[in-house]
């Protein structure tokens, strides 16, 4: 249909393979980084028999988990721009078509659904808001493979289109019709790409400060930006864990067992043992982290006060009797590290009840959920 010059429809030139391919590269890179760092976090918490995670450098998990959350949040505006760029093509006919078309559209549907699920549930997990009944870690872990598998299929099908789109350079400025035609200016592809990049960086900065201290001023969307008792954030309080009375009980004892040898320690007895200081970060799976100065009994010194430690992993149990993190397993390579402590103080002060009073585990390069608080028992596993 021909339109007179004064009635020509507005055309958006930014939609199409050129923008979709370039935004898709950034989005795919963010997804792969998020996937890789997410696998590490899952394996650290639920290690397969072949998995090995070092005790040093002590900041490594802080970096990998921070990158996981930042890349996931930055991917959200990229996904929105990607969907905007390809939206009209999602409804092209035929709906079914050839086998290749079925494969292409099926992979797109799975990819879009899985990616939206991962990013939305991950964002809610950062805020510790769970409006669903499924177990988040298991669902998030399983759906990550679905998303990456669909991404691989989508790339294999669309690779020729992506290659052709990337070969054509974007114009230096938007193509606009002459002023006397009466049409409105087109949206520049460069403007869309620039906007997508700025939005992704802004989204990342909005949460990066909970991992990177000098960016805390920009962490406007970070649930935890460094504030908390004794200068360190808290995920699970003593009230939420239901341990307040037992933790303050004058009859409290920490039981330490090595084989058939066992000994109980009061907090004062723990304080009478040689004290060691360590500067270690506490890094949580939600992406926040904070460095702190810890002091307490070196784990090896505590074990030596009970018997001969011949090696092996160690189980730590908490006064908390509910939930899945009432205990943790510390691998031998972390147990023998000189900076692994049964901590009694933080930043020069007696542990706050919410930080694990009367004592807690603090070990290098471990997720916060495995740094067991309110210790009740330490057992060397056979």
């Amino acid at each position: 249909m021909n339109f007179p010059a004064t009635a020509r429809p507005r055309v958006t030139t930014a939609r199409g393979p050129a923008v979709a391919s370039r935004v898709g590269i950034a989005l795919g890179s963010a997804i792969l980084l998020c996937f890789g760092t997410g696998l590490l976090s899952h394996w650290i918490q639920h290690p397969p028999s072949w998995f090995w995670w070092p005790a040093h450098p002590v900041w490594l998990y802080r970096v990998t988990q921070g990158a996981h959350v930042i890349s996931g949040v930055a991917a959200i505006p990229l996904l929105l721009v990607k969907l905007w760029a390809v939206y009209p093509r999602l409804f092209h006919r035929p709906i079914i078509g050839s086998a290749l078309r079925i494969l292409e559209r099926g992979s797109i549907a799975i990819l879009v659904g899985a990616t939206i699920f991962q990013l939305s549930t991950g964002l809610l997990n950062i805020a510790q808001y769970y409006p669903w009944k499924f177990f988040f870690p298991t669902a998030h872990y399983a759906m990550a493979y679905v998303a990456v598998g669909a991404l691989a299929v989508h790339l294999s099908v669309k690779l020729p289109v992506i290659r052709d789109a990337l070969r054509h350079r974007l114009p230096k400025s938007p193509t606009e019709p002459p002023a006397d035609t009466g049409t409105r200016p087109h949206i520049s592809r460069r403007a869309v790409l620039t906007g997508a990049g700025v939005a992704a960086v802004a989204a990342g900065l909005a949460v990066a400060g909970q991992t990177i201290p000098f960016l805390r001023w920009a962490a406007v969307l970070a649930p935890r930006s460094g504030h908390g008792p004794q200068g360190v954030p808290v995920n699970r309080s003593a009230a939420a864990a239901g341990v307040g009375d037992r933790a303050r009980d004058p009859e409290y004892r920490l039981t330490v067992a090595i084989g058939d040898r066992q000994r109980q320690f009061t907090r004062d007895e723990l304080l009478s043992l040689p004290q060691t200081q360590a500067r270690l970060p506490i890094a949580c799976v939600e992406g926040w982290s904070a460095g702190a100065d810890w002091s307490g009994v070196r784990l090896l010194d505590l074990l030596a006060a009970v018997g001969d430690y011949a090696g092996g992993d160690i189980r730590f149990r908490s006064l908390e009797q509910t939930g899945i993190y009432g205990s943790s397993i510390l691998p031998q390579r972390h147990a023998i590290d000189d900076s692994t402590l049964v901590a009694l103080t933080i930043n020069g002060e007696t542990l706050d009840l919410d930080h694990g009073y009367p004592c807690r585990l603090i070990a290098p390069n471990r997720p916060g959920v495995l740094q067991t608080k309110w210790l009740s028992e330490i057992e060397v596993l056979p």
Side-chain angles (χ1 to χ4, degrees):
M1 179 181 295
N2 294 325
F3 293 87
T6 58
R8 289 176 183 168
R10 182 177 180 177
V11 180
T12 302
T13 60
R15 274 182 168 152
V19 167
S21 297
R22 287 166 173 81
V23 173
I25 289 175
L27 176 60
S29 300
I31 289 174
L32 290 177
L33 176 59
C34 196
F35 176 70
T37 51
L39 284 186
L40 279 176
S41 183
H42 187 86
W43 290 337
I44 294 168
Q45 296 176 66
H46 311 281
S49 58
W50 51 265
F51 183 71
W52 182 88
W53 183 249
H56 288 267
V58 299
W59 44 260
L60 184 56
Y61 182 76
R62 183 180 195 176
V63 171
T64 61
Q65 193 62 14
H68 177 71
V69 171
I70 294 169
S71 61
V73 172
I76 294 174
L78 296 175
L79 175 63
L80 294 176
V81 174
K82 170 76 171 179
L83 291 176
W84 175 85
V86 302
Y87 176 78
R89 298 183 60 83
L90 297 178
F91 301 96
H92 280 185
R93 295 181 179 276
I95 299 297
I96 304 299
S98 65
L100 183 61
R101 182 173 178 80
I102 294 174
L103 181 62
E104 175 193 1
R105 297 182 75 82
S107 68
I108 292 174
I110 296 173
L111 176 59
V112 171
T115 303
I116 291 175
F117 176 88
Q118 289 295 89
L119 296 182
S120 60
T121 57
L123 192 63
L124 292 175
N125 179 64
I126 295 173
Q128 291 192 311
Y129 176 63
Y130 307 103
W132 50 72
K133 295 183 179 180
F134 57 81
F135 184 48
F136 170 77
T138 302
H140 200 65
Y141 177 70
M143 194 60 70
Y145 284 101
V146 175
V148 171
L151 177 62
V153 174
H154 180 66
L155 287 176
S156 64
V157 173
K158 302 295 289 186
L159 190 59
V161 176
I162 297 171
R163 184 179 61 245
D164 292 342
L166 295 178
R167 283 177 177 173
H168 295 87
R169 298 182 60 184
L170 294 175
K172 294 183 179 180
S173 60
T175 302
E176 298 185 7
D180 60 352
T181 62
T183 60
R184 298 179 181 178
H186 297 168
I187 298 176
S188 166
R189 291 170 180 163
R190 289 187 182 278
V192 173
L193 292 175
T194 300
V198 170
V201 171
L205 286 175
V207 296
Q210 63 179 0
T211 300
I212 307 169
F214 70 84
L215 290 177
R216 292 203 193 281
W217 60 270
V220 294
L221 297 181
R224 291 161 183 80
S225 57
H227 302 293
Q230 300 168 313
V232 178
V234 170
N235 251 14
R236 188 160 177 80
S237 67
V243 299
D245 291 341
R246 281 171 289 158
R248 288 187 290 254
D249 189 343
E251 299 301 316
Y252 167 82
R253 299 291 187 275
L254 172 64
T255 301
V256 183
I258 304 177
D260 58 356
R261 297 183 63 86
Q262 180 175 297
R263 180 177 171 183
Q264 292 186 328
F265 297 84
T266 66
R267 192 172 192 280
D268 287 341
E269 288 173 331
L270 292 174
L271 285 167
S272 69
L273 295 173
Q275 301 293 293
T276 301
Q277 294 184 342
R279 176 74 180 178
L280 294 174
I282 185 82
C284 199
V285 295
E286 286 86 6
W288 67 264
S289 58
D293 293 311
W294 307 87
S295 178
V297 184
R298 193 169 64 117
L299 180 59
L300 286 179
D301 292 338
L302 181 60
L303 295 176
V306 178
D308 293 329
Y309 171 61
D313 297 344
I314 300 177
R315 177 184 287 115
F316 291 77
R317 288 194 174 92
S318 172
L319 293 173
E320 181 179 8
Q321 297 177 340
T322 60
I324 62 172
Y325 298 117
S327 68
S328 66
I329 303 296
L330 186 72
Q332 177 180 321
R333 58 185 167 275
H334 289 80
I336 64 177
D337 192 273
D338 286 339
S339 58
T340 296
L341 309 177
V342 173
L344 303 169
T345 74
I346 179 174
N347 292 332
E349 301 176 359
T350 298
L351 282 173
D352 186 271
L353 186 60
D354 286 340
H355 280 312
Y357 178 89
C359 61
R360 67 169 296 163
L361 168 66
I362 185 71
N365 201 28
R366 298 266 286 169
V369 293
L370 300 182
Q371 307 279 35
T372 305
K373 298 194 288 187
W374 313 295
L375 288 176
S376 65
E377 183 180 341
I378 299 173
E379 177 190 9
V380 176
L381 298 177

